[in-house]
Amino acid sequence: MPSLSQPLPPLSKDEYKQRVRELRTELVQLQHQVRKRKKPVIIVIAGDDRSGRHETINALSSWMDPRFLSINAYGPSQHEDDTRPFFWRFWRDLPAAGQIAIYLRDWTSSSLVQYLNGEISEKKLRKREQYIRNFEKKHTDDGALMIKCWLHISEEKLRERVAEVSDTPFFDKKDALALKNYPEAMKAIQQTIDATSTHDNHWYVINGDDDRNRNLQVGEIIRNQLQLWLSNGDREPEPMLAETYPSERININMDPEPEENRPDKKECKKKLKKLQTTLREQVVMLQKQGIPICIVFEGWDAAGKGGAVRRLVAPLDAGFYRIKPVAKPSEDEYARNYMWRFWREVPRNGEMVIFDRSWYGRVLVERVEGFASEKEWQRAFKEINDFEEQLTIHNAVVIKFWINISKEEQLRRFQERENTEYKKYKITEEDYRNRNRWDDYVLAVEDMIERTSTEEAPWSVINTDFKDKARVMVLETVVEAFKKKLDK
Amino acid sequence: MPSLSQPLPPLSKDEYKQRVRELRTELVQLQHQVRKRKKPVIIVIAGDDRSGRHETINALSSWMDPRFLSINAYGPSQHEDDTRPFFWRFWRDLPAAGQIAIYLRDWTSSSLVQYLNGEISEKKLRKREQYIRNFEKKHTDDGALMIKCWLHISEEKLRERVAEVSDTPFFDKKDALALKNYPEAMKAIQQTIDATSTHDNHWYVINGDDDRNRNLQVGEIIRNQLQLWLSNGDREPEPMLAETYPSERININMDPEPEENRPDKKECKKKLKKLQTTLREQVVMLQKQGIPICIVFEGWDAAGKGGAVRRLVAPLDAGFYRIKPVAKPSEDEYARNYMWRFWREVPRNGEMVIFDRSWYGRVLVERVEGFASEKEWQRAFKEINDFEEQLTIHNAVVIKFWINISKEEQLRRFQERENTEYKKYKITEEDYRNRNRWDDYVLAVEDMIERTSTEEAPWSVINTDFKDKARVMVLETVVEAFKKKLDK
């Protein structure tokens, strides 16, 4: 353990009181400055068993203004956590801009517990460390402050504390185990702490043997980090390294499809029916196996996303799927990391969620319209790949459609909409504005596919000017992907 | 079944198409008017098995604008539903103002399924019908539009449909059962439909034998109800009947507590420690038994709610409880029924949630400051009792504290806060504004206790000017309530 974990000389009660008095005044004032900063603060209090984490959190929460502070503690993992990707619950409880959240039993310590209990292999733990670095970077790149404290206690002190409670109801059989495995656990902890201490997000290791010293040190670290963060402007995220992209670049601009390609309506209907029957059978199996399914629909205005979605769900039981239309974020959503609202909607095991537009808005409309800064949308490619990887390692099927039509066909459909009473509402000035930026969108779409079409979460581009054909192609793609999953 | 359930003459394809074309134009236009009405629309599509509910929902969702429509379908009940009160998931998915939500497998049909599967007794079903009436009334009193359609099919048609699928993968063993139990199920359905058809929220029973007729009828009912609702002003809720209140009226204005009552600090500390030890033991048992716990703290400004909460949680594992500070609603919360945000936070089985201020804001600050209309806060007493009953019938312990101090003691504490550096942030002009309305608050608090102190969810008034004593009294009350629960 780093030198910080060495015990400090004990503090007298009076000195402690005096320093706490100063500290809490400062903390409360800092909290009010955080409110104005419009970015969240994420504090992690992790540590060894019996290291006094809980007492320290109680102290912090008595020193700070509870209106702008939330404590996210996680008990034994809940069924609703287990049926979703590992990071889901931490995302769900993310503080809003101007808020401070303290996490107890955070992503790092939970991973270590899983490893020490034999629930995940060492290889998985190493992989998890990478995900942790990505997770934390995502938030700090976005302007959040992250402060991570690891409370350590010496073997001697642990022995002492366990002895103190050994005949009381507060004794836990985990205590005996912690004592027995102390050397082994410390080795694992040290390794994970090293692996998750990055330039931007490093761990403070604090000796937890003495209560007063521990509480004060944690409080003072938080104060110092808040002061530093508040006095600096937004941190410059580390520059992106030149990257190789997961996919080839494809040309998205398609020529109008010749009339002779028009499919036979009856033939299409027959195919569709057959595919829907297969789909329904597959879905029973997928549900039984508890496989989560995530399907994304992106595409040009009037490309026929809605119609394709309806043909897809027509054979399915409505209790199995949810359709999530994505529009501009609400106030609560806007106050948090861009990915927050999508994390909240990820499918449970055995559930299918269809996103009608999605997180790709960041690199499409937000990029083209300038709602996201260049840095933000550039960063988004990697963040999105990471998000989708969290889904696929949780055994999800991820299918992403770009519904493509030619520019000429789009105009034809716009005009058709304008001339059909019940379709008029679908066409607004915005559609024409978007159409005027066709070439900007082409660039954005081509970048998007090149950079986010991964092996486990590939893009499927549906290239046709004929709706009936598009719907069949969508069904074929889904059936194919489900077959691949079920054959595994 | 009412006469509506009689089959209509079949519609020709052309006539259907023609009427659908008109209908969808109207529906989309109505949706845009709903946006401006700033109230939600709740549509229930329930019905017999194989009655075509799913097909009708597919039709509706293709006719309407998906951006302002959500489909809340519930599959087999999930673990996260089962560990919370019955109505939790329906509250969670409530549409925001200006939005329309269609519920499939709603509260009524789910209750009937539970009953027909033998999961709840007939007595419980009768009780549930009462809760359903309360639930629906709460929303329509609040200005929401509720439209309930029950799709019925004849035994003959059911037999036909089951035969059609009997050799296909779409056959479900529930189908055979539905056929076998048809007469019995119809009797139960009829009774529940009658019991949940109120003056304001009655069921439309639609014959589901013919697809086109069924889809059109449901769509046209929705159109007609939307038109009616939009052309009328807010409906006048039914007047409240003269009520007897669950509790005695008590006098909340207390005299300053004489100095000779001041408790011995050391003695208090000792008592507190002992109570905390007991509490910790109890909590292990409560958690094991999966009992949810809900503790509410209300009280005068500076009464010491925060300090009492901290003493209460000090001995507990942070994974077991959540503290939920309640401030003014966010935009998303404001767009929904007042109780929505509290429903979302109800404790899971085996979890404790502490509300630092609560839903009682409606009958305290919102009443006194005029943020809620008289009708709204008058209605709230019953709505709150109903909410808490939903918790207690789900086996929760509900404890509610009014932390009481004398007006003189409040002033002393305000001044102390102003003179203590780290407490200054706690005192604002608002506190003095509230203090100036002391008498209004007294009336509000006395009304509140009289009308919402029920046997299962009683108020505990902590009457003392001495903080140490108050903290002991809070712990004593909690320990006593837990003991009572565990002894059951």
Side-chain angles (χ1 to χ4, degrees):
Chain A
M1 293 280 161
S3 60
L4 248 174
S5 74
Q6 294 313 309
L8 294 174
L11 273 179
S12 77
K13 199 168 175 176
D14 281 347
E15 198 189 338
Y16 180 69
K17 273 195 168 167
Q18 172 58 31
R19 281 173 65 185
V20 163
R21 202 169 303 133
E22 285 162 26
L23 181 60
R24 60 193 295 178
T25 309
E26 292 171 313
L27 284 174
V28 166
Q29 283 162 354
L30 286 163
Q31 269 187 289
H32 286 264
Q33 293 176 44
V34 168
R35 297 273 296 156
K36 289 181 208 127
R37 175 71 174 245
K38 303 269 178 218
K39 290 288 176 184
V41 176
I42 298 168
I43 300 176
V44 172
I45 309 286
D48 309 343
D49 285 326
R50 299 269 172 210
S51 64
R53 276 173 305 178
H54 184 64
E55 293 76 2
T56 295
I57 285 193
N58 263 343
L60 288 173
S61 75
S62 74
W63 297 341
M64 295 168 85
D65 186 338
R67 286 169 301 167
F68 313 120
L69 179 72
S70 61
I71 312 280
N72 299 333
Y74 302 92
S77 117
Q78 299 286 337
H79 187 267
E80 61 199 70
D81 303 329
D82 290 341
T83 54
R84 292 180 172 95
F86 177 72
F87 284 97
W88 176 73
R89 62 181 188 269
F90 307 117
W91 273 96
R92 181 194 57 196
D93 299 334
L94 217 57
Q99 292 272 354
I100 300 180
I102 300 182
Y103 283 84
L104 183 69
R105 303 217 181 83
D106 60 298
W107 40 96
T108 309
S109 52
S110 301
S111 300
L112 272 161
V113 167
Q114 287 182 332
Y115 168 68
L116 292 169
N117 289 345
E119 290 160 27
I120 61 172
S121 67
E122 185 171 349
K123 199 177 142 206
K124 273 219 165 137
L125 180 62
R126 295 288 91 82
K127 193 80 194 153
R128 184 70 66 74
E129 289 162 357
Q130 175 61 50
Y131 296 143
I132 289 171
R133 290 192 295 267
N134 294 351
F135 172 76
E136 294 178 351
K137 182 169 165 30
K138 203 168 294 185
H139 296 295
T140 51
D141 279 359
D142 202 30
L145 171 63
M146 186 161 306
I147 307 171
K148 305 194 291 180
C149 299
W150 188 277
L151 311 189
H152 168 64
I153 59 165
S154 61
E155 191 167 1
E156 193 190 318
K157 195 73 191 177
L158 175 62
R159 195 176 307 280
E160 211 178 292
R161 290 200 180 150
V162 171
E164 269 170 31
V165 295
S166 65
D167 288 331
T168 75
F170 304 138
F171 180 78
D172 192 310
K173 60 177 191 284
K174 278 188 304 186
D175 285 325
L177 211 66
L179 209 47
K180 191 175 147 238
N181 297 336
Y182 187 91
E184 190 204 333
M186 286 308 124
K187 225 183 98 195
I189 289 169
Q190 181 70 63
Q191 190 170 355
T192 294
I193 283 185
D194 289 344
T196 55
S197 273
T198 63
H199 176 262
D200 290 324
N201 292 307
H202 67 92
W203 281 99
Y204 293 91
V205 179
I206 292 128
N207 187 294
D209 289 3
D210 178 70
D211 289 349
R212 291 179 197 144
N213 270 313
R214 183 194 60 230
N215 293 351
L216 257 183
Q217 272 189 44
V218 171
E220 288 173 355
I221 286 170
I222 292 172
R223 177 198 60 199
N224 297 348
Q225 290 303 304
L226 283 172
Q227 282 171 340
L228 201 68
W229 181 65
L230 287 164
S231 63
N232 292 337
D234 267 342
R235 200 174 51 77
E236 197 62 25
E238 281 174 77
M240 304 278 283
L241 300 173
E243 255 189 298
T244 54
Y245 301 129
S247 177
E248 300 289 297
R249 193 166 187 91
I250 59 165
N251 180 359
I252 210 71
N253 238 334
M254 69 178 262
D255 290 330
E257 205 172 0
E259 189 54 33
E260 71 236 39
N261 276 12
R262 181 178 294 279
D264 179 61
K265 241 186 149 53
K266 263 203 174 145
E267 192 58 32
C268 275
K269 218 170 186 169
K270 228 175 93 187
K271 273 193 199 160
L272 206 63
K273 262 262 149 354
K274 214 178 140 211
L275 286 162
Q276 287 176 335
T277 308
T278 312
L279 188 72
R280 180 154 170 170
E281 290 174 26
Q282 290 177 321
V283 154
V284 174
M285 299 302 299
L286 290 163
Q287 225 176 342
K288 262 192 200 148
Q289 297 182 30
I291 293 171
I293 299 156
C294 178
I295 305 184
V296 170
F297 281 84
E298 295 281 357
W300 297 107
D301 290 328
K305 293 190 299 295
V309 169
R310 276 197 299 279
R311 269 60 176 196
L312 177 61
V313 302
L316 306 180
D317 184 285
F320 170 66
Y321 67 86
R322 274 186 295 133
I323 299 174
K324 180 73 199 158
V326 173
K328 74 174 178 29
S330 75
E331 189 189 80
D332 288 354
E333 290 166 350
Y334 192 74
R336 289 179 176 81
N337 181 287
Y338 178 72
M339 295 303 289
W340 180 67
R341 57 181 176 144
F342 305 111
W343 266 102
R344 298 179 73 197
E345 299 287 346
V346 300
R348 276 193 296 253
N349 292 354
E351 188 193 30
M352 172 158 119
V353 180
I354 295 168
F355 290 91
D356 183 354
R357 304 201 187 274
S358 69
W359 44 94
Y360 284 100
R362 191 70 156 187
V363 297
L364 296 172
V365 58
E366 294 199 19
R367 168 183 176 174
V368 171
E369 296 287 340
F371 301 148
S373 70
E374 172 155 2
K375 266 180 212 149
E376 282 172 333
W377 64 256
Q378 285 281 10
R379 216 165 59 213
F381 296 114
K382 202 170 171 314
E383 291 174 349
I384 285 171
N385 287 343
D386 182 56
F387 168 63
E388 293 175 359
E389 188 175 352
Q390 294 307 312
L391 303 182
T392 55
I393 61 163
H394 188 70
N395 204 25
V397 183
V398 177
I399 305 172
K400 305 182 293 195
F401 288 108
W402 176 260
I403 311 289
N404 207 25
I405 50 173
S406 66
K407 199 173 174 185
E408 292 75 4
E409 173 65 12
Q410 189 190 47
L411 186 61
R412 205 194 57 72
R413 293 194 190 173
F414 278 8
Q415 287 160 350
E416 186 195 322
R417 285 183 171 187
E418 285 162 335
N419 297 327
T420 311
E421 196 55 45
Y422 63 83
K423 285 184 176 170
K424 265 187 186 160
Y425 79 94
K426 288 186 170 183
I427 186 99
T428 64
E429 267 176 46
E430 208 186 311
D431 293 304
Y432 279 101
R433 261 207 316 279
N434 291 341
R435 185 175 161 79
N436 283 338
R437 313 199 72 161
W438 181 276
D439 292 341
D440 296 334
Y441 274 103
V442 165
L443 180 66
V445 173
E446 291 178 354
D447 278 354
M448 171 183 86
I449 291 173
E450 183 180 21
R451 300 189 195 186
T452 62
S453 200
T454 59
E455 205 185 315
E456 294 292 330
W459 277 100
S460 301
V461 179
I462 303 297
N463 269 320
T464 176
D465 278 348
F466 300 109
K467 275 186 188 173
D468 292 336
K469 198 169 144 195
R471 290 164 186 172
V472 170
M473 286 164 79
V474 164
L475 260 289
E476 278 172 349
T477 308
V478 172
V479 164
E480 187 51 42
F482 286 176
K483 184 171 179 304
K484 210 175 120 196
K485 186 72 176 184
L486 288 167
D487 285 349
K488 258 186 194 164
Chain B
M1 292 280 160
S3 60
L4 248 174
S5 73
Q6 295 313 310
L8 294 174
L11 272 178
S12 77
K13 199 168 174 175
D14 281 347
E15 197 188 340
Y16 180 68
K17 271 196 169 165
Q18 172 59 31
R19 281 174 65 186
V20 163
R21 200 169 304 134
E22 284 161 28
L23 181 60
R24 60 194 295 178
T25 309
E26 292 170 313
L27 284 173
V28 166
Q29 283 161 354
L30 287 163
Q31 269 187 290
H32 286 264
Q33 293 176 45
V34 168
R35 297 272 298 156
K36 290 182 205 124
R37 175 70 174 247
K38 303 270 178 217
K39 292 287 177 184
V41 176
I42 298 168
I43 300 175
V44 172
I45 309 286
D48 308 344
D49 285 326
R50 299 267 171 212
S51 64
R53 277 173 304 178
H54 184 64
E55 292 76 2
T56 296
I57 285 193
N58 263 344
L60 288 174
S61 76
S62 74
W63 297 342
M64 295 168 85
D65 185 339
R67 286 169 301 167
F68 313 119
L69 179 72
S70 61
I71 312 281
N72 299 333
Y74 302 91
S77 119
Q78 298 286 336
H79 187 267
E80 62 199 72
D81 303 329
D82 290 340
T83 55
R84 292 181 173 94
F86 177 72
F87 284 97
W88 176 74
R89 62 180 187 271
F90 307 117
W91 274 96
R92 181 194 57 196
D93 299 334
L94 218 57
Q99 293 271 353
I100 300 179
I102 300 182
Y103 283 84
L104 183 69
R105 302 216 182 84
D106 61 298
W107 40 97
T108 308
S109 52
S110 302
S111 300
L112 272 161
V113 167
Q114 287 181 333
Y115 168 68
L116 291 169
N117 288 345
E119 290 160 27
I120 61 172
S121 67
E122 185 171 350
K123 200 177 142 208
K124 272 219 165 139
L125 179 62
R126 295 288 92 81
K127 193 81 195 149
R128 183 70 66 73
E129 289 162 357
Q130 175 61 49
Y131 297 143
I132 288 171
R133 290 191 296 268
N134 293 350
F135 172 76
E136 295 178 351
K137 182 168 166 30
K138 204 168 294 184
H139 296 295
T140 50
D141 279 358
D142 203 31
L145 171 64
M146 187 162 305
I147 307 171
K148 305 193 291 180
C149 299
W150 188 277
L151 311 188
H152 168 64
I153 59 166
S154 61
E155 190 167 0
E156 193 189 318
K157 194 75 191 177
L158 175 62
R159 195 176 309 278
E160 210 179 293
R161 290 201 181 150
V162 171
E164 269 169 30
V165 295
S166 66
D167 288 331
T168 75
F170 305 138
F171 181 77
D172 192 310
K173 61 176 189 288
K174 278 188 304 186
D175 285 325
L177 211 65
L179 209 46
K180 190 175 147 239
N181 297 335
Y182 187 90
E184 190 203 335
M186 285 310 123
K187 225 184 100 197
I189 289 169
Q190 181 70 64
Q191 190 169 356
T192 294
I193 283 185
D194 289 344
T196 55
S197 272
T198 62
H199 176 261
D200 290 324
N201 292 306
H202 67 93
W203 281 99
Y204 293 90
V205 179
I206 292 128
N207 187 294
D209 289 3
D210 178 71
D211 289 349
R212 291 180 198 145
N213 270 313
R214 183 194 60 230
N215 293 351
L216 258 184
Q217 272 189 46
V218 171
E220 288 173 354
I221 286 169
I222 292 172
R223 178 198 59 198
N224 298 348
Q225 290 304 304
L226 283 171
Q227 282 171 341
L228 201 67
W229 181 66
L230 287 163
S231 63
N232 293 337
D234 267 341
R235 199 176 50 79
E236 197 63 24
E238 278 174 78
M240 303 277 284
L241 300 174
E243 255 189 299
T244 54
Y245 301 130
S247 177
E248 300 289 297
R249 193 166 187 91
I250 59 165
N251 180 359
I252 210 71
N253 238 335
M254 70 179 262
D255 290 329
E257 206 172 359
E259 189 54 32
E260 70 237 38
N261 276 13
R262 181 178 294 279
D264 179 61
K265 241 188 148 54
K266 264 202 173 143
E267 193 57 33
C268 275
K269 219 172 186 167
K270 230 175 92 187
K271 273 191 199 162
L272 206 64
K273 262 259 146 3
K274 216 179 138 209
L275 286 161
Q276 287 175 335
T277 309
T278 312
L279 188 72
R280 181 154 169 170
E281 291 173 27
Q282 290 177 322
V283 154
V284 174
M285 299 303 298
L286 290 163
Q287 224 176 343
K288 261 191 202 150
Q289 297 182 28
I291 293 171
I293 299 155
C294 178
I295 305 184
V296 170
F297 281 84
E298 294 281 356
W300 297 107
D301 290 328
K305 293 190 300 294
V309 169
R310 277 197 299 279
R311 268 59 175 197
L312 176 62
V313 302
L316 306 180
D317 185 286
F320 171 65
Y321 66 87
R322 274 185 296 132
I323 299 174
K324 180 73 199 157
V326 173
K328 73 173 179 28
S330 75
E331 188 189 80
D332 288 355
E333 291 166 350
Y334 192 74
R336 290 179 176 82
N337 181 287
Y338 178 72
M339 294 303 289
W340 180 67
R341 56 181 177 144
F342 305 111
W343 265 102
R344 298 179 73 197
E345 299 287 346
V346 301
R348 275 193 295 253
N349 292 354
E351 188 193 30
M352 173 158 118
V353 179
I354 295 168
F355 290 91
D356 183 353
R357 304 200 187 275
S358 69
W359 43 95
Y360 284 100
R362 192 69 157 187
V363 296
L364 296 172
V365 58
E366 294 198 19
R367 168 183 176 175
V368 171
E369 297 286 342
F371 301 148
S373 70
E374 172 155 2
K375 266 180 212 147
E376 282 172 332
W377 63 255
Q378 285 281 12
R379 215 164 61 213
F381 296 114
K382 204 171 169 316
E383 291 174 348
I384 286 171
N385 287 342
D386 182 56
F387 168 63
E388 293 174 0
E389 188 175 353
Q390 295 306 313
L391 303 182
T392 55
I393 62 162
H394 188 71
N395 204 25
V397 183
V398 177
I399 305 172
K400 305 181 293 194
F401 288 108
W402 176 260
I403 311 290
N404 207 25
I405 50 173
S406 67
K407 199 173 174 186
E408 292 76 4
E409 173 65 12
Q410 188 190 48
L411 185 61
R412 206 194 56 71
R413 292 193 191 173
F414 278 9
Q415 287 161 351
E416 186 195 320
R417 285 183 171 186
E418 285 162 335
N419 297 325
T420 310
E421 196 55 45
Y422 63 83
K423 285 184 175 170
K424 266 186 186 160
Y425 80 92
K426 288 185 170 184
I427 185 99
T428 64
E429 267 176 47
E430 208 186 311
D431 293 303
Y432 280 102
R433 260 206 316 279
N434 291 340
R435 185 176 161 77
N436 284 337
R437 314 200 70 163
W438 182 276
D439 293 341
D440 296 335
Y441 274 103
V442 165
L443 179 67
V445 172
E446 291 178 354
D447 278 354
M448 170 182 86
I449 291 173
E450 184 181 19
R451 301 189 194 186
T452 62
S453 201
T454 59
E455 205 184 314
E456 294 292 330
W459 277 100
S460 301
V461 179
I462 303 297
N463 269 320
T464 174
D465 277 348
F466 300 109
K467 275 187 188 172
D468 292 336
K469 199 169 144 194
R471 290 163 186 173
V472 170
M473 286 164 80
V474 164
L475 261 288
E476 279 172 349
T477 308
V478 172
V479 164
E480 188 50 42
F482 286 175
K483 186 172 178 305
K484 209 174 121 196
K485 186 73 176 183
L486 289 167
D487 285 350
K488 259 187 193 161

